[in-house]
Amino acid sequence: MCEAAIAVNEDVIRDPVCGMTVDPEAGKPSVERDARVFHFCNPRCAEKFEAAPEEYLTAIDPVCGMSVDRASVQHMTKHHGERFYICCARCKERFEAEPEAFLGDRPAPEPMPEGTLYTCPMDPEIVQEGPGDCPICGMALEPMGPPPADAGPNPELIDFKRRLTVGAPLGLAVFILAMGPMLGLPIREALGHRFASWLEFALAAPVVLWCAAPFFKRGWASIRNRSPNMWTLIALGVGAAFAFSAVATIAPGLFPPAFRAEDGSVGVYFEAAAVIIVLVLVGQILELKARERTSGAIRALMDLAPKTARRLRDGREEDVPVEDVVVGDRLRIRPGEAIPVDGVVVEGASAVDESLLTGEPVPVEKAPGDALTGGALNGSGSMIMQAEHIGADMMLSRIVDLVATSQRSRAPIQSVADRVAGWFTPAVVGVAILAFLIWAAIGPDPALAHALIAGVSVLIIACPCALGLATPMSIMVAMGRGAKGGVLIRDAEALERLAGVDALVVDKTGTLTEGRPALTGVETTDGVDRDELLRLLASLERGSEHPLAEAIVKGAEAEGIALTEAEAFEARTGAGVVGRVEGRAIALGSAALMAEISADPSVMEGAATERRDKGETVMFAAIDGRFAGLISVSDPIKESAAAALAELQALGLRIVMATGDDARTAQAVAAKLGLSDVRANVSPEDKAGIVTALQADGLSVAMAGDGVNDAPALAAADVGVAMGAGSDIAIESAGVTLVKGDLRGVARAVKLSQATMRNIRQNLGFAFIYNGLGVPIAAGALYPVFGLLLSPMIAAAAMSLSSVSVISNALRLRATRL
C-alpha cells in the first residue's frame, strides 16, 4: 500500500530541503541533477542542496521505515519543530496520533513557562493562567502570543483524531446495522430486533460515552456558566437520542404497547447519536486543521530567523547561537544566508531579499550605513554588520507578536453574531421542545418516535458552528495574509474600519518623501568660492542634529571637502545657526536671520524662489556679516509615491497632504504627485485638527505618517497607518503598520480589509440563511406537503457542511491579490 501511495503522488513537487510545496511555474530556483529537476522555494535552499544533495534526496518514513523521495512525497508533518516525510496518509495518521511510539526517546518540547496566559480563539476576552477550556464556548484555550518554535502538533487535534479513529468504524457499524433494511441488507431481521438493539447499544456506547466526552463536558460547562452555545445543542440532541434508545433497549416495557413491535422491541436511534458524534468530530478536526493553517504565517515568519550567527570577535570568527548575540557585535553575512538580527552594514555590499517581510519582490541594494532587518535573505554579496536590535526588540519579533495578537482580536461586526447567539440557543431549545410536543400530540404513529426525530434534528441542525466561525476564521486568515504582504494590522477593529475609509491624510516627510534630505545646490555671490562656502557651512553644521544639517555635511563629505571644527555654535529656533569657523563669523538660516545680522539676501531672492518652486528648502548664508550666497536641500519624493496615490484615488479615497513645511515647497511636491488638497505650515496639533475636521464632515479618515509629530493625528484618525521605518511612538499610535514604509502598502491594506469584510458578510449571510431554513425543515415544516421529516443524521451532516463551507470561504482570503 505504501509503494502505491508513492506512485500516485508523483505530481506533488516539494522543496527537498525545507519540505515546502513549490510551484514550478513561479520562477523559483531549480537545480538539475541526474536527469531530474529539483525545484526550491528560495536560493538559500538551492545552495544547501547543491552543497550536499545526498542529504536531501531521501528520507525514512518513521512509521514503516520506507525510503521516500523528499522532492515528490505528498505527506509531510512536523513534530517538535522537526520535519518528517511520510509515505502515505495512513502512516501519517498513525504518526500524528502517537508520534512518541515511533520516535523512541527523542526529547519532548519544553513546557510552556510558568505563568503563561491562555486565551480562547473564539472568545478572546477569556484570559487565564494555564491551560483549560473556555467557559463560554468550551473550546480548549491556547497560549497567548506566538507559538513556541518547538511546538508540536495541537494536542486537541491529536486527541480528536484518536477519538475519530475509534468512533468512525463503530459508528459505521451501527449505521449499517440500523439502516440495513433500507440498504437491502437483512441483517436486523436475521439477528432479531431485540438482539440487534442490544448490539447497537454496545457499539454506540463507546462513541457517545467516550468519543463524545469532550462535547458533553463543554455542553455541561455552557449550562453551568449560563452561556448556551453549539455544545449545548449537541449535548442535548445526542444525549436525548442516546438516552431514549438506551431506555427503549433496556426496559422496553416502560413504553405504551403502541410503541412496541410484535417482539416487544421499541425503535431506537443509536445510529443517529453515533453518526452525529462522528460528523461533529470530523468538523472539529477540519476546523482545528484550518486554524493551524491560518497560523502558518506566524510560523513562516518565525522560521525566517536563523538559529546561528557568525560573530567576529578578538580577531577570529565563530558560529554562535543567535541568542548569544549582543548589541554592538559585528557579524559576517555570507552569500545566501539570512540576516540574524536587526542592524546596520559596516562593510561590504549586497542585494537583500526582504520580500517575506515587506511583500516587495525586488531585492534591495545594501551598502555601508544601510539598515538590515533580521530574517531577510542576503544575495550574492558578502557583508559585515553591527547588531543594533536583538531578541524581542527585532522587527521580526515585533511582527510575530503583533500578528499573533491581532489574529485573536474581535471585529465590531462580530457583535452581530454575538447578539444573535445570545438568544439563538435558548430559542432553538424552545423550538425543539415545541416541535416535540406538537409531533407527540398530533403526529402520525408512532408519534413519540416522530417527535423525538423532530426535536433532535432541530437541536443538531441549529448548532451555531457556522455563525461562531464566520468572523474569527476570516480575521485569522486575513491577518496572516497581510503579514505576508508587509501589512501588519494591530487588531480586527482596525481591519474593519479600514474597509470603510473615505479620506486619507498623508504626512509629507518620510511618507511621500524619502525622509532623508540631500544637498541639491550651492550658489554664491561674486567673489565667494563655492567650495569654500560649502566647507565653512558644513563645518558649522557639524554641531547640529537637524536633518537639514546632516544633508549639508554629507553633501560636503561626498565632494571630498575636508571639514574643520566650529566654535561658539548656537542654534536659533526657527531662524538658523550661527558660530565661528577658523575665526570667521558664519551664519546660515532664514531671511529673518540675515536681517538680524544686517546681511541683505535680496540679490538672490529670484534664485531662491526658483528653487522653492521645485520643492527645495533654501537657506541663506553670511560670512563676517556679509551675505555670501544660498544653499538648498531637498527631500526626494519616493519613487512609488505617485503610483501609490493614483491607486488610492482609484479606490475612491480623498487624499489630503498635511506638512509642517512651507506652502511653496509643499505645493511643489503636491504638483509632482497630482494632489490638490494641501495643508502646509501645520503643527502636530493642526494635523490632528485636520483629521477631526474631516470626521466632522462625515468622512471616515485614515492618517499615514512616520514621525513623533504624527502620533496625535494617527491616534485621532479612524485608522492610523504608520510607516515601518518610522518612530516607535508613531507605530504604537497606529492601527496599521507598513513594514516596508511604502505608501503602496496602504492600498494593499485597503484591498485586504475590503476583501475581508466581504468574506465575513458572506459567512454571516450563509450562516443566517442556513439556520433560517434549516430549523423549520428539521422541525417538520415540509412534512404536511412533501411527507419529509429530516433525519438527525442528515441534520448533523448539514451542520458539519455549514461549518466546512464557512472555513473554506475564509481560507480563500489567503489567495487575495494585494
Side-chain angles (χ1 to χ4, degrees):
M1 188 183 85
C2 295
E3 292 178 357
I6 294 244
V8 300
N9 292 332
E10 291 179 350
D11 58 333
V12 176
I13 300 177
R14 286 189 182 276
D15 183 324
V17 176
C18 68
M20 289 185 62
T21 303
V22 181
D23 180 1
E25 305 297 330
K28 298 291 185 179
S30 61
V31 172
E32 186 171 353
R33 176 181 170 82
D34 299 333
R36 288 187 64 188
V37 179
F38 297 91
H39 300 271
F40 303 88
C41 64
N42 61 55
R44 180 172 50 173
C45 287
E47 291 177 6
K48 284 185 176 181
F49 179 83
E50 289 184 295
E54 291 78 11
E55 181 181 346
Y56 302 109
L57 288 174
T58 59
I60 301 300
D61 184 322
V63 177
C64 66
M66 281 190 58
S67 177
V68 296
D69 186 346
R70 292 174 62 156
S72 63
V73 65
Q74 182 178 15
H75 302 285
M76 186 194 75
T77 186
K78 292 181 72 176
H79 181 63
H80 298 172
E82 184 177 355
R83 295 181 180 89
F84 293 92
Y85 297 82
I86 314 292
C87 71
C88 62
R90 183 181 177 188
C91 284
K92 182 180 179 183
E93 289 178 2
R94 293 178 62 193
F95 178 81
E96 290 180 339
E98 294 184 291
E100 292 77 10
F102 304 103
L103 299 181
D105 298 326
R106 291 175 184 262
E110 292 293 324
M112 296 301 292
E114 186 176 350
T116 298
L117 297 179
Y118 285 70
T119 186
C120 174
M122 297 284 284
D123 301 284
E125 68 271 19
I126 301 300
V127 177
Q128 73 174 42
E129 186 175 318
D133 293 329
C134 175
I136 296 178
C137 70
M139 289 188 67
L141 301 181
E142 300 176 356
M144 298 182 68
D150 59 352
N154 186 328
E156 187 178 33
L157 179 58
I158 293 177
D159 179 52
F160 281 5
K161 284 183 176 180
R162 184 181 297 114
R163 294 176 190 272
L164 181 63
T165 302
V166 174
L170 293 177
L172 179 62
V174 175
F175 178 80
I176 293 175
L177 188 59
M179 307 302 290
M182 297 180 62
L183 300 174
L185 303 174
I187 302 175
R188 196 173 187 85
E189 289 76 4
L191 295 174
H193 290 291
R194 286 282 293 161
F195 182 76
S197 296
W198 277 102
L199 184 56
E200 286 185 42
F201 180 43
L203 293 170
V207 180
V208 176
L209 300 180
W210 181 73
C211 296
F215 306 154
F216 284 109
K217 180 182 176 183
R218 294 175 180 182
W220 172 246
S222 69
I223 296 172
R224 188 180 67 247
N225 296 312
R226 297 180 181 177
S227 57
N229 52 46
M230 59 178 282
W231 303 112
T232 314
L233 303 179
I234 290 174
L236 289 174
V238 172
F242 184 78
F244 174 90
S245 302
V247 172
T249 301
I250 298 171
L254 296 178
F255 292 83
F259 290 93
R260 296 198 299 268
E262 293 181 1
D263 60 358
S265 64
V266 178
V268 292
Y269 300 96
F270 289 120
E271 82 285 356
V275 173
I276 286 168
I277 293 304
V278 171
L279 290 171
V280 173
L281 276 170
V282 170
Q284 287 298 294
I285 289 171
L286 291 174
E287 180 184 337
L288 289 169
K289 283 187 173 181
R291 288 189 177 281
E292 285 202 336
R293 292 171 70 184
T294 59
S295 65
I298 298 180
R299 296 186 185 276
L301 288 170
M302 295 175 70
D303 288 343
L304 290 179
K307 302 298 183 288
T308 61
R310 192 163 186 83
R311 184 168 62 189
L312 310 180
R313 180 178 288 182
D314 301 328
R316 62 190 180 91
E317 298 185 13
E318 61 176 341
D319 289 324
V320 299
V322 73
E323 294 82 6
D324 293 345
V325 175
V326 299
V327 174
D329 276 352
R330 292 164 66 88
L331 310 173
R332 182 178 298 281
I333 312 299
R334 292 170 292 191
E337 289 185 335
I339 311 299
V341 296
D342 293 355
V344 63
V345 181
V346 294
E347 293 182 27
S350 183
V352 176
D353 181 0
E354 299 178 334
S355 59
L356 288 178
L357 287 169
T358 66
E360 295 296 333
V362 181
V364 180
E365 296 292 335
K366 299 290 183 179
D370 289 338
L372 294 174
T373 303
L377 187 64
N378 185 29
S380 58
S382 179
M383 300 179 290
I384 295 177
M385 67 173 291
Q386 180 172 311
E388 292 188 342
H389 300 287
I390 61 175
D393 295 330
M394 291 172 53
M395 174 65 77
L396 182 60
S397 299
R398 293 163 64 186
I399 290 173
V400 169
D401 286 337
L402 184 59
V403 174
T405 302
S406 63
Q407 281 193 333
R408 293 193 175 97
S409 59
R410 173 165 296 213
I413 196 172
Q414 176 67 25
S415 61
V416 176
D418 291 342
R419 287 196 300 270
V420 171
W423 57 260
F424 183 75
T425 301
V428 167
V429 173
V431 171
I433 293 174
L434 181 62
F436 179 87
L437 294 175
I438 293 175
W439 277 95
I442 62 174
D445 291 331
L448 189 59
H450 285 92
L452 182 65
I453 291 174
V456 171
S457 296
V458 169
L459 291 173
I460 296 302
I461 202 169
C463 287
C465 311
L467 191 61
L469 290 170
T471 299
M473 285 301 303
S474 297
I475 293 297
M476 291 181 70
V477 177
M479 296 299 187
R481 178 65 185 94
K484 292 176 67 176
V487 178
L488 305 181
I489 300 171
R490 179 177 301 280
D491 52 36
E493 183 176 0
L495 182 70
E496 181 174 340
R497 287 185 174 184
L498 193 59
V501 163
D502 305 303
L504 174 66
V505 178
V506 291
D507 174 50
K508 180 178 74 70
T509 306
T511 303
L512 296 175
T513 64
E514 295 289 351
R516 296 188 296 271
L519 179 67
T520 52
V522 180
E523 298 187 31
T524 64
T525 57
D526 293 340
V528 178
D529 181 74
R530 175 193 178 278
D531 291 350
E532 176 66 7
L533 177 61
L534 179 57
R535 184 181 73 85
L536 294 173
L537 297 178
S539 298
L540 175 66
E541 288 283 27
R542 281 211 300 184
S544 173
E545 296 180 352
H546 197 281
L548 298 181
E550 183 181 358
I552 295 172
V553 172
K554 285 186 175 181
E557 291 175 343
E559 294 186 21
I561 297 175
L563 307 182
T564 60
E565 295 296 324
E567 301 174 349
F569 176 84
E570 179 187 353
R572 299 186 180 180
T573 305
V577 295
V578 297
R580 302 189 72 82
V581 179
E582 298 175 349
R584 306 175 72 179
I586 310 298
L588 177 65
S590 64
L593 178 62
M594 295 297 103
E596 185 178 331
I597 62 174
S598 302
D600 184 10
S602 60
V603 64
M604 285 194 170
E605 191 59 46
T609 299
E610 183 178 344
R611 288 189 175 275
R612 290 192 186 105
D613 288 340
K614 295 179 181 179
E616 299 177 15
T617 299
V618 176
M619 294 163 282
F620 296 113
I623 302 176
D624 293 327
R626 293 184 55 194
F627 179 70
L630 63 80
I631 191 167
S632 63
V633 173
S634 70
D635 186 4
I637 296 174
K638 290 182 178 180
E639 293 183 4
S640 61
L645 292 174
E647 188 173 2
L648 288 166
Q649 289 172 327
L651 290 172
L653 272 66
R654 172 183 171 184
I655 310 297
V656 179
M657 188 177 82
T659 176
D661 216 336
D662 67 84
R664 189 183 294 273
T665 302
Q667 288 290 351
V669 172
K672 294 178 182 179
L673 295 173
L675 298 178
S676 58
D677 195 342
V678 180
R679 318 290 175 90
N681 295 308
V682 296
S683 65
E685 293 76 14
D686 293 334
K687 289 183 181 179
I690 292 171
V691 170
T692 304
L694 291 170
Q695 290 171 331
D697 291 337
L699 299 177
S700 179
V701 183
M703 167 70 193
D706 73 324
V708 173
N709 63 330
D710 297 321
L714 289 169
D718 294 282
V719 183
V721 181
M723 303 293 114
S727 72
D728 289 342
I729 295 177
I731 293 173
E732 288 297 323
S733 302
V736 178
T737 299
L738 308 180
V739 177
K740 179 71 173 179
D742 188 333
L743 204 61
R744 284 178 296 187
V746 178
R748 289 198 192 106
V750 171
K751 291 178 180 177
L752 177 63
S753 64
Q754 292 176 346
T756 304
M757 295 312 298
R758 281 197 304 270
N759 192 273
I760 289 174
R761 292 188 184 98
Q762 290 165 0
N763 286 347
L764 288 175
F766 179 81
F768 285 135
I769 293 173
Y770 164 81
N771 283 299
L773 296 176
V775 171
I777 293 175
L782 299 182
Y783 187 85
V785 180
F786 300 102
L788 176 63
L789 184 59
L790 204 62
S791 163
M793 287 184 294
I794 301 299
M799 179 268 291
S800 297
L801 181 62
S802 70
S803 299
V804 172
S805 300
V806 166
I807 293 171
S808 301
N809 189 47
L811 289 175
R812 289 193 309 109
L813 286 171
R814 295 187 305 163
T816 302
R817 293 177 60 87
L818 302 181

